[in-house]
Amino acid sequence: MLPPPPGTNGGGSPGNDGTAEATEFMAIAANPTLPSFTNAYGETVQRDVPDQLATVRRAEQKLAIAQYLAPLGLTLTEPLILDVVVIIDATGRAEVLPDKTTVLAGSLTPSQAGAVAAKIIETWQFNPTLDQGQPKAFDYTIRLTLRPLA
């Protein structure tokens, strides 16, 4: 996700090499999982687990590069996989913690990865966490995969 490659004009039109740049991409979010926490000694910290974990309402979405990536100065030429830490509130809205986003595949800086994750995930809806039958805010990790569409 860097500036358009040589031979393309960055506008979705064929470049000098006859290939067209993708104008859309598929964003796929795995259901949220509980992040693991460690203390200063590297030991896993036990935490309360709610009765029902949050779930993503629509796991796959086709999105426009012009709306989500271009404003950040990015293109998508290869799959990108991010682990994104979020807080899903009691209404099912996600707040991304951009500085906690990890790039698993692809070539983004940490700040670019956090910005992309926030721009995409914060528009999605989730079924909230339930604890003793009541919705509550809870933190999760979401694996986000972005794939260019030809």
Side-chain angles (χ1 to χ4, degrees):
M1 292 185 72
L2 300 171
T8 63
N9 61 15
S13 304
N16 296 336
D17 60 4
T19 59
E21 186 176 304
T23 59
E24 294 181 312
F25 66 99
M26 184 65 69
I28 304 162
N31 270 325
T33 59
L34 298 176
S36 61
F37 292 100
T38 56
N39 62 19
Y41 303 104
E43 302 165 329
T44 300
V45 176
Q46 296 296 322
R47 58 186 295 199
D48 292 332
V49 177
D51 302 331
Q52 182 177 328
L53 301 180
T55 57
V56 62
R57 291 189 183 169
R58 187 169 160 213
E60 293 187 20
Q61 296 189 36
K62 188 186 296 185
L63 303 172
I65 287 175
Q67 180 179 356
Y68 288 90
L69 304 180
L72 301 172
L74 303 172
T75 61
L76 184 63
T77 57
E78 62 187 3
L80 176 66
I81 303 173
L82 306 173
D83 268 352
V84 184
V85 176
V86 301
I87 299 171
I88 298 176
D89 71 16
T91 68
R93 188 183 70 76
E95 175 190 349
V96 172
L97 305 178
D99 59 327
K100 301 287 186 189
T101 299
T102 305
V103 179
L104 301 177
S107 53
L108 287 182
T109 66
S111 64
Q112 288 173 321
V116 166
K119 191 155 187 72
I120 294 170
I121 289 180
E122 288 182 357
T123 65
W124 289 17
Q125 280 294 306
F126 296 82
N127 296 312
T129 305
L130 297 179
D131 195 25
Q132 298 180 9
Q134 299 298 313
K136 71 180 248 180
F138 211 78
D139 56 304
Y140 293 95
T141 298
I142 297 174
R143 171 104 6 119
L144 179 64
T145 303
L146 308 179
R147 289 191 321 238
L149 298 175

